[in-house]
Amino acid sequence: MTSGHWMAFSFRLPHMLAGKNIALGVTGGISVYKMCTVVRLLKKAGANVRVMMTQSAAEFVTPLTFSTLSQEEVVVSLWPENKKTSTNLGVKHIDIGLWADVMLVAPATANTIAYIAHGNADNIVSSTVLALRCPLIIAPAMDVDMWENRATQDNLTTLRERGYFILPPESGELASGLTGMGRLPEPETIVDFVNGVIVKTPQDLKKKKILVTAGPTHEPIDPVRYIGNRSSGKMGFALANAAALRGADVTLVSGPVSLGTPNNVKRIDVETAEEMYGAVMAYAKKQDVIIMAAAVADYAPAEQAKQKIKKQHATMTMELRSTPDILRALGEKKTKKQILIGFALETENELANAKIKLQKKNLDLIVMNSTKDKGAAFGSDTNVVTLIDTKGNVSALPKMPKFDVAVEILNRAVKEFNR
Ligand SMILES: Cc1cc2nc3c(=O)[nH]c(=O)nc-3n(C[C@H](O)[C@H](O)[C@H](O)COP(=O)(O)O)c2cc1C
């Protein structure tokens, strides 16, 4: 599970924990004890920490330990302690959800992961998750068989697609006596991960409207066949997620993909290049940033057969017509303040071709990737890109998770705003 994960914190990041509000949801696993050190480290780094515990978590370590370490009251119940005077006690799960800059659920039991995936809200941790407006980090820890179970893995896929950060467990000796994946990482690793999420989700796109396109288009040949391409949509979805986490008002126009929609993203599904053109143009004018990450077909069948084409001849010729050029149309209509970002997937003369496209389509930035790079482009969770701007600056980024590539692209957009 570590490999192919869409967010990695391999390089040194600035420390951003001082003054940050961190909501910590502790659930009932054997590794609860490690979280005492995590709270100490977070407090030492200057963060404010409010701990919530499930009833099961409180079987392992007492709330008193966490309240002493966090210097805050620990919340174990959804309900006010004194129901008779509850009117001015506030609603704890809403209050903490609004207070937090980031929430961490660690250790996250298989049970709590299932709870979150299905939107259950009958304890303080899962209720706060549902009411949350800030990034959520989930650090699963469990026995190897519980970890490998399809139910757990399917639930984690759902959570990842919603845009939550998953800190994968480590492999090693487990409390059950078995060996395998499932160990909660060491406290320092957890704190580094929390810091990384804070660094990568600054609230600098609040009130900005961002439109992202993603995925392939399908151009129908007959009622059952189409011309398509290998785009998975992962890069565009990562961009939409990263922008929403930074506070932007995000519209995602997606071709046919099998990906779940990230939280706080408005998604419009389309099938053909023509439909994508229509949807993008309907929203384009009001956008501050438009990022065209979709792999739009250049040609579509000139005619769509009404019935399924029968296998009759040894060869077959099909006439194709060019599809609307969405990027060019956007470039022509671009307002002074608008930032337009395009992608170029090249198989030869990559840099020269990308530079021509940047100029011809009136873009502010082009993201170039090549089919030659290992770990890049279609279907992969990582990408290897080069960013080229209008001033001729060329930055070749190392191979990184698509989420991190998205962060870099958005950093460029923010720089343009501040110019
Ligand atoms: C000694 C013991 C250790 C456990 N450790 C884990 C664990 O590491 N991970 C896990 O997912 N469940 C573990 N469980 C099971 C959970 O405590 C159980 O599923 C519980 O319902 C979780 O509730 P919660 O998610 O509300 O905290 C353990 C249970 C016991 C008795």
Side-chain angles (χ1 to χ4, degrees):
M1 194 37 73
T2 8
S3 66
H5 191 259
W6 54 275
M7 187 154 181
F9 297 104
S10 47
F11 47 92
R12 273 265 149 255
L13 293 164
H15 284 282
M16 296 278 288
L17 290 163
K20 291 291 183 303
N21 294 338
I22 298 172
L24 171 61
V26 181
T27 72
I30 194 71
S31 52
V32 171
Y33 72 94
K34 285 189 181 172
M35 296 313 295
C36 300
T37 309
V38 170
V39 173
R40 280 198 57 214
L41 292 174
L42 290 172
K43 290 291 291 180
K44 234 171 126 180
N48 309 306
V49 185
R50 285 175 78 177
V51 180
M52 295 160 282
M53 302 178 79
T54 60
Q55 298 288 348
S56 309
E59 295 286 332
F60 292 86
V61 171
T62 64
L64 180 63
T65 306
F66 280 107
S67 71
T68 309
L69 293 170
S70 66
Q71 296 160 318
E72 291 279 354
E73 186 198 343
V74 170
V75 186
V76 185
S77 169
L78 265 175
W79 310 103
E81 278 68 42
N82 186 345
K83 290 186 183 108
K84 283 185 191 141
T85 59
S86 67
T87 43
N88 53 10
L89 283 177
V91 184
K92 288 183 275 190
H93 60 288
I94 307 292
D95 290 350
I96 297 176
L98 292 175
W99 168 85
D101 293 313
V102 66
M103 178 165 175
L104 166 67
V105 179
T109 58
N111 177 61
T112 289
I113 288 166
Y115 256 44
I116 298 173
H118 296 280
N120 285 22
D122 72 351
N123 68 48
I124 184 67
V125 175
S126 57
S127 300
T128 307
V129 164
L130 268 189
L132 212 57
R133 290 189 181 176
C134 65
L136 173 67
I137 303 164
I138 295 167
M142 62 199 71
D143 163 70
V144 59
D145 296 301
M146 291 172 88
W147 169 253
E148 285 175 358
N149 194 290
R150 266 295 295 280
T152 303
Q153 290 304 321
D154 287 354
N155 288 333
L156 283 165
T157 299
T158 303
L159 299 185
R160 222 175 266 122
E161 287 184 350
R162 270 182 213 158
Y164 298 141
F165 297 93
I166 312 293
L167 170 58
E170 293 175 352
S171 184
E173 215 172 282
L174 303 170
S176 57
L178 300 173
T179 303
M181 286 287 280
R183 269 166 71 111
L184 187 71
E186 291 309 308
E188 289 76 10
T189 309
I190 298 174
V191 172
D192 273 355
F193 196 89
V194 173
N195 183 57
V197 168
I198 291 172
V199 171
K200 289 169 190 202
T201 58
Q203 296 305 293
D204 52 4
L205 291 173
K206 278 220 155 85
K207 298 207 176 98
K208 297 288 184 204
K209 284 184 177 294
I210 299 193
L211 186 140
V212 181
T213 66
T217 61
H218 287 178
E219 310 301 331
I221 297 169
D222 67 16
V224 294
R225 302 182 180 94
Y226 60 82
I227 297 175
N229 61 65
R230 295 183 198 280
S231 171
S232 65
K234 284 181 182 173
M235 190 61 242
F237 275 61
L239 277 158
N241 182 33
L245 286 168
R246 286 165 85 149
D249 174 357
V250 183
T251 306
L252 173 64
V253 178
S254 177
V257 296
S258 53
L259 296 172
T261 314
N263 278 329
N264 301 317
V265 167
K266 175 180 172 177
R267 173 168 170 178
I268 300 163
D269 285 311
V270 297
E271 199 181 328
T272 64
E274 189 104 32
E275 285 172 19
M276 189 170 277
Y277 178 86
V280 169
M281 287 306 166
Y283 284 87
K285 208 170 157 198
K286 291 196 177 134
Q287 303 300 317
D288 297 295
V289 185
I290 302 178
I291 310 176
M292 280 287 297
V296 185
D298 292 326
Y299 290 93
E303 300 273 351
Q304 185 190 337
K306 294 231 164 14
Q307 305 301 333
K308 185 180 169 206
I309 299 169
K310 294 267 184 292
K311 189 176 181 178
Q312 283 171 332
H313 310 290
T315 61
M316 183 185 159
T317 306
M318 191 190 304
E319 195 183 349
L320 303 177
R321 60 170 167 76
S322 66
T323 55
D325 189 333
I326 307 175
L327 207 47
R328 197 175 70 193
L330 289 169
E332 283 166 3
K333 292 204 164 87
K334 193 169 82 168
T335 62
K336 258 205 163 149
K337 285 195 308 193
Q338 205 169 52
I339 296 167
L340 182 57
I341 301 175
F343 273 68
L345 177 71
E346 303 289 345
T347 55
E348 55 177 352
N349 299 329
E350 291 93 339
L351 201 55
N353 286 336
K355 280 181 175 169
I356 293 169
K357 189 169 177 181
L358 174 81
Q359 210 183 21
K360 247 170 80 179
K361 314 252 163 138
N362 193 21
L363 310 179
D364 297 288
L365 184 77
I366 193 152
V367 184
M368 184 197 87
N369 44 25
S370 165
T371 50
K372 286 181 196 154
D373 287 316
K374 274 214 167 95
F378 289 149
S380 170
D381 287 319
T382 54
N383 210 349
V384 185
V385 306
T386 301
L387 306 181
I388 307 155
D389 67 19
T390 47
K391 286 173 201 68
N393 297 315
V394 176
S395 11
L397 303 180
K399 178 170 135 184
M400 46 170 79
K402 283 183 171 167
F403 184 86
D404 289 6
V405 174
V407 169
E408 292 294 332
I409 294 169
L410 294 173
N411 287 347
R412 296 304 191 93
V414 170
K415 245 192 206 164
E416 287 291 323
F417 283 131
N418 297 336
R419 213 190 281 274

